[in-house]
Amino acid sequence: MNIQTVINGKKISVNVKNDMRLLDFLRDELELTGTKEGCSEGECGACTVLIDGSPVNSCLVMAFQIDGKEVVTIEALDEDGNLNIIKDTFLEEGAPQCGFCMPGMVLSAKGLLDQNSNPTRSDVKEAISGNLCRCTGYTTIEDAILKSAKKLGGKNG
Amino acid sequence: MNIADVYKAETVKECIKLLAKHKETKIISGGTDLVIKLNEGQIEGISLVDISSIKELNFVKIEGNTIHIGSNSTFSDVLNHKSIFPKSIKGFVEALESVGSPQIRNAGTIGGNICNGSPAADSIPPLIVLGAKLTIISKKRERIVDIEDFFLGKGKVDLGSNELLKSISFDIPNEDSKLNFYKYSYRNALSITLGSVAALIDIQNNIVQDIKIATGGFSAYCIREREMEELMIGKELNEENLNYLLNSAKKIVQKRIETFPNDFKVLKNITIEGALRHVIR
Amino acid sequence: MDKLNIVGKSSFRVDGIDKISGRSIYPQDIKLKEMFHAVTLRSTVPHATFTLNTEKASKMSGVVKIFTAHDVTGKNEHGVLFKDHQVFMDRKINRIGDPLALVVAETLKEAKVAMKEIEVLYNELPGVFCPLEAMNEDAPKIHGDSNIIANMKLEKGTVDFSKCDVVVENTFKVPMVEHAFLQPESAVSYIEDDKLVVISSTQYPHWDRFELSLALGLKEENIKVLNAAVGGAFGGREDITSQIHVALATKTLKKPVKITYGREESFLAHSKRHPMTIRMKIGALKDGKITAMKNEILADSGAYASWAPSVLRKAMTHSTGPYEIENVKVNAKSVYTNNPFTGAMRGFGATQVAVGYEQIIDQLAEELGISTYEIREKNILRIGSKTGTSQTMYNSVPVDRCLEAVKKEMEIIKKKPVNKDMLTGYGIALSIYGTGYGNGFPDVSSNIAKINSDGKIEIFSGFTEVGQGAKTVMAQIASEVFNTSSSNIIINCEDTDKVPDSGTAAASRQTYNTGNAVKKSCEKLKDIILNLAQKELGLNNNIGLEVKDELVYLRTLPSMEITFKDLFSKYKDELSSKGKFVAQTTQMDDLSQGAPYWPYGFNALGVKVEIDPATGRINVVDGVFAQDVGRAINPRLVEGQMDGGFVMGLGYALYEDINLVDGEIKNRKFSSYIIPTAKDMPTLKKIIIEDPEETGPFGAKGIGESVTIPAAPAILNAIYDASKVRFTKLPVTPIEFMKKFGNKYD
C-alpha cells in the first residue's frame, strides 16, 4: 500500500508491506533503530512513538495505518520544541541505566509535557505507567520529567 | 504475519461498502488487540479494513439526557471529555482510566473494546449497567442493539462480517444514582483484570432503591447480574445484607465454573467478593 | 585520605546521552550487508529422546542451512561451571526450551516459516519437577546417576537449642523468578580478516570467547567478541545463549548471521533465580542474644547446573544474616530437575535466604517481647565480630549505622497520617552481601592505562557496562588519579582484542575489583608521567610536580609545564601501564569455615505498606533505605542502584513467580509475568552510609546485588505488622493474601 506520511517532520510517500508493523517499518525500512522492541504486545512501551502527538506502542500499529498521520520517534530533531531539553534533563538527573527503555520513556515524557506543562509526580507516574523499566525503579525518570516541566516553564514542577 | 489485503476507509460509507464487497475481513482501528494476534500468527490470511482515519466516528456528545460516543473514539478521546460528564457516571470514567496504559488508551477505541467481546473488557460492565445501546450499520440497514444482548459467547458478538459498530449511546442516570466501578488486578497499571464489577446504585436513607450490577471476568463475557441485583433491591445497606449478597454472589459465580480447577474457583470467590465490596456503597 | 575531586561527585553517565537519544547500539539494531537471519527450534517437552527430520524444512524458500548437533564443529557443550549444556541437543532433552536446531535463511520470515516444517519426534521420558522428589533413588535422572549437584554443610560451634530460652522455627519458600531485562537477547556474527567476530550483549565477553572457542573448535585468538550496549542483565546474561549459534552459522556459511529473541524465547532461553525451600530454626537467651541457628536449604537448579554450587554456597554462608551467632549448623543442597535451569540473579542465593532470616528474627523478637530494632541491635556484626564461617570483620561494618538511620526515619514515617480504609503496617530488614566469586577462586581484574596521541588518558579493561554505570565509575576513578574531568577519560571495554580480561560483571565485583585495577594502573602511569616530565623539564627530582587536565606542572612555578601530548610525541611506548587486582578470599574447610568473600556490604530498609482488607491489594507507600557503600564513587549511581534494587525486591515480594506446569513456563510474556510499574513504586528516602573499606578503590565497595536483598523481607515484615499474618511463601499476591487473611480460604 502506498502511504503519505510525515516522519520526524519529513514528508514521505512510500510503499509499505501489508504485513509490516509500524515498529518494523521504522527499524527495518527507515533504519530508525532508536525505537526498541521489548515485548511485541504493548506491555513494555520500549517501542513508544508519537502519532499525531500522542504516545502509542508502535508494535501495535500496522505501518499502513500511519497514512495521513504524523509520527515522531526519538531520532526527531526537535530544535524549537522540548525534546532536547527533556533529553538533557534525563542526563542531568541520571535517568538512564541500561538504556533500553529510554527512548520510549522520553517520548512518553514529551507526550505528557506537550499536554500538561505543570504535572504532579502522580501525573508523571501515570504518563510512564505504560513504560516498563527493570533498572531504575522509575524514580530518576520521574525526577527528570518533573525537572523538565520546570525548565519548560511550568510553575510548580 | 500473513495478511491478504488492506483497505483504508475514510468514511462510514466507504467502510460498509468495503465490508460488503470483501469477504474474510477484519476491521482494524487502534490495533491494540488485533495486531498482537496477527503478529503471533493466531489470525492469518485475512484482509484488513482500516477505519482509524474515519473522523465522523470519533465524537463524544451530549444531546438532551443522552450521551453518544462514536465507536472510533479512543479511550483517551472519551476521557478528554470527562469534564462534561455528570458525576453520576464516575465509574465509567474510572473504568476507562483503568485500561492498560496511556499508550493503549491513546490507540485503543471504545468500539474495539466492545466488538472484541472479551470477558475482561474494562469499558463494558459500566456500559451494561448504563443500559447502553449500540448502533450498527451495514450497507443494507442500520439497527440498534442493547449492549447486554450484543455478547454471544467468549469473543463472540452479534456483529455480521458486513457490519460496523457506529456508536454507543446511553442515558445519563438520575442524580440520585451513582455508578461505582472496581477492577481487581495485581498491580496499579498495565493490568489485565482478574475480575471487575460495575454497579449503578440509588440509595435513599440507606435503603437500596434501585441497583444494576454487571461483571467482567466472571462469565464467558461481560454480563448483567440480575440475580445479585434482586438480593439488594429494597434492602438496607448494612453489613448483614452485604454479607448475604457476597455469599450469594460467590455461589452464583461458582455455579458457572463448576468444572474449573479449585485454584481458579478460589480466585473467583476472592475477586467477586472484593470487587463487590468496593462497588456496593 | 587526600581530598577527592571527582570521586564522590555525581558525574553524568558517560554513556548517558547516547542511551537517552536512542543512539546506543544493541545487537538487534545492527544490520549488515548480505546478512542471514536465524531462528532456534526449541524442545516443547521437558524430558525425552528425539529424532529430527529437517528434509522438508531445508528445501523451503530462502533457507540456507539448518544446523543440528551434527554440525557443531567443536565440542557440543558449554556451561559456566560444568559443561552440561549442549549447543544443540543430540542425546536427551532435559527441559522445555532446549535448542534442537537452528534455521538460517535469507530473511527472518523465511526462517520462521521453515522452522515450522521441521518434524520432531519425541520419545518422552518421565520427568521430575520437584526438587525433593528429584533426590529419591528411583527418580528419573537428568545428568549422570544422581540429581544432587551439590550437598554442603556449615558448622560453627555446637547447636543445642535446649540451652536457649526461646526457640522459633519456620519454613520459607521463595519462587523461581525472571530477570526480565528489557532488551531481549540478540547476537550478530561476521568474518573480518579471517577472524570470527561475535557481537552480543553479555556480562563477560572474555568468557564468551572461551566458550565459543571450545564449541567451534577455534583458537581464542581467532575469535573476537564485541560487547554491544547491554539492556540490563542481573545475572541472566552469564550463561551463553545465542552467541555460539550465530558464530557457528557464520563460521560454516562465511556470511553475517543475526539472531534476535522475542520476549517469549528470552523467557525460555536464559536462567532464572533459584527457587528455594529454606527451613530455619533460631534460638536466643532471654536477653535477646541469639546463640544458635540451624538452617536447611534446598534449591532447584532445574535442568542444568549453571552456577548451582556457587549460588548454594552464597546462600548457605549468608543464611545467618548480618548477625554474630556462636553456634550455627547449615545443610544445603541443590538438585537437578526437568524445570527451566536456574543460575545467577542479583543477590545470587543471598537474596533468597534473607526472606527467611529477616522474618524469623522478627518472630524471635515477638516471642521475646522486644522490639524488632532491639533484637537486631543486640546481634548485628560489628568490628571484631565473626560471621557464620568464622571470618573476622575487621573494618567497614556499618550495619549499626544503617539500622540507626532507618530507625530514625521510620519514626518520622510512622507519624505521618494513615489511610483509615486500609490496614497499615511497618517493617524493616537488614542484609549482608559478600563480594566476589569467593571461596579462594582467583578473582582477577586487569587494566591497561595509556596516554594516546591526543594526550588523553585511555583505559583498557574487559569489564561490562550492563547499565549499572561501570564505565562512569571507572572513568571517575581514573580522572581522580589524573585530576581531570571524567569526560576526558576514554574508556575501552567492549573488544576482547583490545582489552585484558576483567572478569564478569557479576558478584558486585566490578567497582571493587576492576576499580582497584584501574586505580593501580593509573597511579603507576602517573608515576611514569611525573618521571618523564622531570626529565623533560630538566628538574632534579619529581617533587612538587602535579598533573591536571592532561598536563604536568611544577607547583612552585606553574609556568613550568609540559602536556601529556608533548610527552607522548617523545615517549609514546613508555606511556602505558598495567594494573592487576586479585581479591583476597580463602577456600573454606569441610565445615565451611574460612574467609570466603571480601568485602561485605550491608544495608537496612524500612517500609510502610497499605493493604486493602477487601481485596488484599498491597502497596508499599513509603520507605527509607540506608546503604553501606564503603565510599560512593558516584552518589547518583548509588541511589539509582538503590531504587532499582528495591523495586526488583518489591516484585519478588508481591508479584513475580514463574508459573510452572510440568516444567513449562505458563507466563512467559510481560502481560502475564508481572513486574512493577512506576505506579507501584513509592518514593524512597535514600541514605548513603560511607565507611571506607581499606582495600577498596578510594574505599568503595560494590552494591549492585546488596540493594535488592532487604526489600522482600522488609515488605513481608510490614505485611505481618498490618495483618498479623506471617507469609512464608512469595509472592504475596492479593489472592494469596486473601486466602490467609481471616483464614477464609485456607
Side-chain angles (χ1 to χ4, degrees):
Chain A
M1 182 169 169
N2 185 271
I3 61 165
Q4 323 282 321
T5 181
V6 179
I7 305 222
N8 295 335
K10 214 175 129 192
K11 269 191 195 168
I12 57 168
S13 169
V14 65
N15 261 310
V16 296
K17 292 181 198 144
N18 288 351
D19 60 356
M20 198 165 233
R21 300 172 300 169
L22 175 57
L23 173 63
D24 307 319
F25 177 66
L26 293 172
R27 288 179 55 84
D28 300 344
E29 301 283 309
L30 303 182
E31 299 193 12
L32 296 171
T33 55
T35 305
K36 304 299 179 193
E37 180 162 20
C39 73
S40 324
E41 55 163 351
E43 283 283 323
C44 78
C47 68
T48 300
V49 299
L50 305 182
I51 295 184
D52 292 342
S54 296
V56 298
N57 296 303
S58 62
C59 73
L60 300 185
V61 179
M62 296 305 292
F64 61 80
Q65 292 188 282
I66 60 166
D67 180 42
K69 294 173 188 153
E70 200 174 333
V71 179
V72 171
T73 73
I74 193 68
E75 287 89 355
L77 288 170
D78 190 12
E79 276 140 14
D80 52 345
N82 58 23
L83 204 51
N84 290 333
I85 290 172
I86 298 172
K87 285 181 187 174
D88 289 346
T89 316
F90 268 59
L91 179 69
E92 289 159 25
E93 290 299 302
Q97 287 191 27
C98 89
F100 204 73
C101 73
M102 274 294 116
M105 286 285 184
V106 169
L107 289 167
S108 282
K110 180 171 160 55
L112 169 74
L113 297 175
D114 285 349
Q115 300 282 322
N116 180 352
S117 61
N118 198 11
T120 63
R121 187 173 289 270
S122 148
D123 296 335
V124 171
K125 279 182 180 290
E126 182 62 51
I128 61 166
S129 65
N131 296 78
L132 293 176
C133 167
R134 190 61 155 170
C135 300
T136 65
Y138 306 98
T139 311
T140 49
I141 296 167
E142 293 164 16
D143 292 345
I145 299 172
L146 289 168
K147 192 171 162 192
S148 300
K150 258 188 190 169
K151 281 193 193 174
L152 291 164
K155 278 163 246 148
N156 303 322
Chain B
M1 206 185 297
N2 182 351
I3 293 163
D5 269 309
V6 299
Y7 307 100
K8 184 179 175 178
E10 303 258 13
T11 62
V12 171
K13 212 171 157 187
E14 266 178 49
C15 178
I16 53 178
K17 231 167 146 182
L18 284 165
L19 292 175
K21 192 169 159 197
H22 302 284
K23 300 286 167 235
E24 303 288 312
T25 57
K26 277 221 166 252
I27 293 170
I28 182 168
S29 185
T32 55
D33 286 298
L34 186 57
V35 178
I36 297 175
K37 289 180 183 143
L38 292 168
N39 191 48
E40 289 178 353
Q42 293 176 39
I43 299 178
E44 286 200 314
I46 51 144
S47 295
L48 297 175
V49 176
D50 180 18
I51 63 164
S52 60
S53 300
I54 303 185
K55 295 208 170 60
E56 63 188 292
L57 292 185
N58 187 345
F59 61 83
V60 177
K61 57 188 178 193
I62 303 182
E63 282 175 356
N65 196 40
T66 307
I67 294 179
H68 303 276
I69 300 172
S71 62
N72 207 25
S73 311
T74 66
F75 298 106
S76 297
D77 290 334
V78 181
L79 287 168
N80 285 340
H81 290 81
K82 77 179 183 190
S83 59
I84 63 162
F85 287 159
K87 259 193 186 160
S88 57
I89 63 164
K90 183 175 69 78
F92 176 59
V93 171
E94 285 170 2
L96 299 188
E97 284 171 340
S98 80
V99 172
S101 65
Q103 289 93 322
I104 300 290
R105 296 195 291 274
N106 288 337
T109 62
I110 192 141
N113 204 226
I114 293 168
C115 293
N116 276 330
S118 159
D122 295 312
S123 72
I124 298 175
L127 288 172
I128 291 178
V129 297
L130 287 164
K133 307 243 186 285
L134 308 179
T135 304
I136 292 165
I137 187 170
S138 65
K139 210 176 161 189
K140 287 190 183 133
R141 62 172 181 158
E142 186 166 306
R143 64 191 176 102
I144 290 173
V145 182
D146 276 353
I147 191 166
E148 216 192 316
D149 302 329
F150 186 64
F151 305 105
L152 307 173
K154 191 174 181 180
K156 277 191 185 162
V157 293
D158 176 17
L159 188 75
S161 63
N162 58 346
E163 287 184 313
L164 171 71
L165 171 62
K166 255 175 81 181
S167 64
I168 301 103
S169 309
F170 55 85
D171 291 345
I172 296 168
N174 71 48
E175 276 175 22
D176 299 329
S177 298
K178 57 183 174 181
L179 175 51
N180 294 328
F181 174 78
Y182 188 81
K183 170 171 164 177
Y184 208 125
S185 57
Y186 280 123
R187 62 181 164 190
N188 293 315
L190 274 175
S191 255
I192 300 284
T193 176
L194 296 172
S196 63
V197 181
L200 184 64
I201 314 187
D202 179 359
I203 300 168
Q204 304 293 332
N205 303 322
N206 213 35
I207 305 290
V208 178
Q209 303 292 333
D210 194 12
I211 185 165
K212 292 192 178 73
I213 301 174
T215 61
F218 297 101
S219 180
Y221 45 90
C222 299
I223 57 166
R224 175 102 176 255
E225 301 283 6
R226 289 196 167 73
E227 217 182 322
M228 296 182 200
E229 291 169 8
E230 277 158 23
L231 296 169
M232 286 310 283
I233 291 174
K235 297 274 166 61
E236 190 184 346
L237 190 59
N238 58 29
E239 193 60 24
E240 192 189 335
N241 287 335
L242 185 60
N243 277 330
Y244 186 72
L245 169 71
L246 298 179
N247 287 325
S248 308
K250 283 190 274 185
K251 282 180 200 146
I252 292 165
V253 170
Q254 290 300 317
K255 249 189 265 167
R256 297 179 195 149
I257 54 172
E258 267 173 347
T259 58
F260 283 70
N262 197 45
D263 274 3
F264 185 78
K265 291 182 183 169
V266 171
L267 174 112
K268 290 298 162 184
N269 265 342
I270 291 172
T271 43
I272 190 71
E273 183 171 1
L276 274 172
R277 241 183 210 287
H278 272 272
V279 297
I280 311 292
R281 58 192 159 83
Chain C
M1 196 168 289
D2 294 340
K3 191 178 158 288
L4 298 171
N5 296 312
I6 311 293
V7 162
K9 302 255 173 7
S10 292
S11 306
F12 294 167
R13 288 186 72 107
V14 298
D15 54 349
I17 202 70
D18 280 347
K19 284 180 168 173
I20 295 162
S21 308
R23 290 197 297 262
S24 289
I25 301 296
Y26 301 84
Q28 38 267 82
D29 302 332
I30 296 167
K31 195 170 164 183
L32 299 174
K33 265 192 192 154
E34 295 178 40
M35 182 171 76
F36 294 143
H37 295 265
V39 291
T40 316
L41 177 72
R42 294 178 182 276
S43 61
T44 55
V45 301
H47 205 197
T49 57
F50 69 103
T51 53
L52 283 180
N53 184 350
T54 59
E55 211 183 315
K56 187 177 171 200
S58 60
K59 288 176 190 151
M60 303 278 291
S61 150
V63 173
V64 182
K65 184 174 169 63
I66 296 175
F67 288 83
T68 65
H70 305 292
D71 303 301
V72 177
T73 54
K75 283 189 171 172
N76 184 8
E77 60 181 33
H78 65 88
V80 288
L81 281 177
F82 311 134
K83 301 290 171 205
D84 56 359
H85 280 273
Q86 290 199 288
V87 177
F88 296 113
M89 310 312 289
D90 69 354
R91 297 182 295 268
K92 182 168 76 78
I93 287 160
N94 301 308
R95 59 156 178 154
I96 290 172
D98 267 342
L100 307 181
L102 186 78
V103 183
V104 183
E106 281 165 20
T107 67
L108 182 58
K109 194 170 178 177
E110 287 167 326
K112 282 183 180 171
V113 170
M115 191 171 78
K116 285 186 192 155
E117 299 303 324
I118 299 178
E119 292 166 37
V120 194
L121 224 75
Y122 294 110
N123 176 24
E124 284 202 60
L125 303 167
V128 60
F129 306 102
C130 161
L132 210 58
E133 287 169 19
M135 291 192 292
N136 290 343
E137 287 271 307
D138 57 351
K141 301 295 182 288
I142 321 298
H143 304 275
D145 49 18
S146 167
N147 288 329
I148 300 175
I149 304 169
N151 185 354
M152 300 175 181
K153 60 181 174 184
L154 179 153
E155 279 185 50
K156 177 192 177 193
T158 311
V159 171
D160 180 359
F161 287 108
S162 68
K163 290 181 180 162
C164 302
D165 295 318
V166 175
V167 178
V168 177
E169 57 188 312
N170 215 335
T171 302
F172 303 92
K173 285 188 178 178
V174 289
M176 179 180 285
V177 296
E178 154 71 21
H179 308 81
F181 38 70
L182 261 278
Q183 175 222 350
E185 293 87 340
S186 179
V188 176
S189 59
Y190 58 96
I191 289 169
E192 181 185 79
D193 306 332
D194 293 333
K195 227 175 215 204
L196 186 61
V197 183
V198 180
I199 307 177
S200 72
S201 300
T202 175
Q203 289 178 248
Y204 192 0
H206 286 81
W207 177 260
D208 283 9
R209 186 176 67 176
F210 172 68
E211 294 241 70
L212 283 161
S213 79
L214 293 183
L216 300 174
L218 281 176
K219 287 183 180 156
E220 282 192 69
E221 63 244 42
N222 293 326
I223 303 169
K224 173 159 103 172
V225 173
L226 290 174
N227 209 0
V230 184
F234 314 113
R237 297 189 204 266
E238 291 188 36
D239 310 88
I240 220 158
T241 52
S242 53
Q243 295 96 314
I244 297 172
H245 292 163
V246 271
L248 180 65
T250 290
K251 181 177 180 250
T252 307
L253 303 169
K254 316 285 180 215
K255 282 279 172 63
V257 178
K258 179 176 183 178
I259 294 177
T260 301
Y261 294 167
R263 181 55 57 188
E264 288 194 58
E265 188 170 14
S266 177
F267 266 83
L268 287 177
H270 65 253
S271 70
K272 300 282 168 281
R273 187 189 286 288
H274 284 78
M276 290 184 186
T277 302
I278 303 156
R279 196 176 163 75
M280 290 184 159
K281 190 169 179 181
I282 193 165
L285 301 177
K286 264 190 201 126
D287 65 0
K289 180 70 196 158
I290 299 168
T291 52
M293 189 176 202
K294 188 178 173 223
N295 302 330
E296 281 172 52
I297 300 166
L298 177 60
D300 180 1
S301 185
Y304 298 101
S306 183
W307 291 110
S310 308
V311 170
L312 194 70
R313 187 179 302 114
K314 207 154 239 177
M316 174 181 72
T317 54
H318 287 66
S319 67
T320 50
Y323 304 107
E324 183 166 43
I325 303 172
E326 213 181 317
N327 306 293
V328 181
K329 193 171 178 179
V330 189
N331 179 249
K333 293 191 188 78
S334 192
V335 299
Y336 284 124
T337 64
N338 294 109
N339 285 325
F341 79 101
T342 55
M345 184 169 170
R346 207 177 202 175
F348 206 75
T351 307
Q352 288 92 322
V353 290
V355 172
Y357 68 69
E358 279 306 278
Q359 287 203 83
I360 206 155
I361 199 167
D362 265 28
Q363 286 183 262
L364 191 61
E366 191 174 19
E367 284 293 314
L368 287 161
I370 61 177
S371 81
T372 55
Y373 292 99
E374 193 182 345
I375 189 137
R376 287 175 171 84
E377 284 156 3
K378 282 209 161 108
N379 293 287
I380 47 175
L381 295 167
R382 295 169 193 273
I383 299 236
S385 296
K386 285 188 164 47
T387 64
T389 70
S390 301
Q391 183 169 4
T392 303
M393 300 280 107
Y394 72 89
N395 91 117
S396 189
V397 202
V399 204
D400 53 347
R401 287 174 59 199
C402 293
L403 181 59
E404 195 163 319
V406 163
K407 188 178 179 182
K408 211 172 131 194
E409 284 300 321
M410 285 301 278
E411 276 164 19
I412 298 166
I413 288 174
K414 282 182 185 174
K415 281 181 190 145
K416 293 185 194 171
V418 297
N419 182 339
K420 286 198 184 83
D421 295 333
M422 298 285 177
L423 307 170
T424 303
Y426 307 87
I428 58 162
L430 306 181
S431 87
I432 177 171
Y433 183 83
T435 311
Y437 303 152
N439 207 34
F441 188 85
D443 195 340
V444 187
S445 278
S446 301
N447 183 60
I448 300 165
K450 283 185 188 173
I451 303 300
N452 71 15
S453 56
D454 293 332
K456 296 259 175 166
I457 301 131
E458 290 202 39
I459 71 167
F460 296 82
S461 176
F463 66 86
T464 302
E465 171 61 66
V466 291
Q468 83 281 45
K471 274 188 180 176
T472 310
V473 163
M474 299 312 157
Q476 282 186 260
I477 289 172
S479 64
E480 183 66 53
V481 174
F482 285 105
N483 199 10
T484 186
S485 158
S486 53
S487 55
N488 285 335
I489 309 287
I490 297 166
I491 306 276
N492 301 275
C493 65
E494 294 92 353
D495 181 345
T496 54
D497 272 7
K498 279 192 188 166
V499 300
D501 189 342
S502 265
T504 175
S508 304
R509 58 179 291 289
Q510 286 296 1
T511 296
Y512 179 72
N513 281 47
T514 308
N516 266 320
V518 167
K519 183 165 178 270
K520 262 184 159 174
S521 59
C522 288
E523 283 167 349
K524 268 164 64 185
L525 179 60
K526 184 178 162 185
D527 282 345
I528 293 169
I529 287 168
L530 294 184
N531 290 337
L532 293 173
Q534 174 202 338
K535 209 157 113 187
E536 278 302 293
L537 298 170
L539 298 168
N540 296 328
N541 55 46
N542 65 16
I543 294 169
L545 280 179
E546 194 49 86
V547 298
K548 188 174 170 41
D549 298 334
E550 291 79 43
L551 63 79
V552 191
Y553 67 97
L554 187 62
R555 290 169 79 173
T556 52
L557 185 63
S559 61
M560 190 164 255
E561 59 167 47
I562 183 163
T563 64
F564 288 7
K565 198 174 170 175
D566 288 343
L567 285 173
F568 181 88
S569 63
K570 211 162 172 187
Y571 301 102
K572 188 180 164 193
D573 295 333
E574 288 169 58
L575 290 169
S576 168
S577 161
K578 195 169 177 183
K580 183 174 157 187
F581 180 81
V582 188
Q584 183 71 287
T585 63
T586 74
Q587 190 174 359
M588 297 187 293
D589 66 17
D590 291 347
L591 295 176
S592 298
Q593 296 297 290
Y597 307 101
W598 193 262
Y600 285 87
F602 306 92
N603 54 29
L605 172 72
V607 295
K608 174 184 180 182
V609 303
E610 284 180 358
I611 309 173
D612 179 344
T615 62
R617 285 290 315 274
I618 301 168
N619 278 309
V620 181
V621 295
D622 211 343
V624 51
F625 197 170
Q627 178 69 43
D628 156 36
V629 299
R631 182 186 299 280
I633 304 279
N634 183 318
R636 183 169 284 136
L637 289 178
V638 168
E639 290 182 355
Q641 288 295 303
M642 290 166 74
D643 280 320
F646 171 82
V647 79
M648 192 175 273
L650 183 149
Y652 194 40
L654 300 180
Y655 308 135
E656 298 179 34
D657 187 3
I658 288 285
N659 175 9
L660 289 175
V661 177
D662 292 343
E664 185 183 8
I665 304 175
K666 290 292 180 187
N667 51 344
R668 49 194 198 228
K669 293 179 176 189
F670 278 163
S671 53
S672 48
Y673 186 86
I674 306 295
I675 66 171
T677 69
K679 285 170 82 176
D680 305 304
M681 173 73 185
T683 303
L684 288 179
K685 183 178 172 80
K686 294 171 287 285
I687 301 167
I688 295 174
I689 303 287
E690 292 199 310
D691 183 354
E693 159 58 38
E694 285 175 16
T695 63
F698 301 104
K701 299 177 185 177
I703 58 153
E705 292 168 281
S706 175
V707 289
T708 213
I709 302 173
I715 293 167
L716 287 161
N717 283 337
I719 293 170
Y720 177 79
D721 186 45
S723 67
K724 297 298 164 224
V725 183
R726 175 66 63 191
F727 286 88
T728 55
K729 186 171 166 277
L730 302 189
V732 189
T733 64
I735 303 301
E736 291 305 315
F737 180 85
M738 292 311 286
K739 279 186 194 170
K740 286 238 160 66
F741 183 60
N743 289 320
K744 275 194 282 193
Y745 297 94
D746 219 15

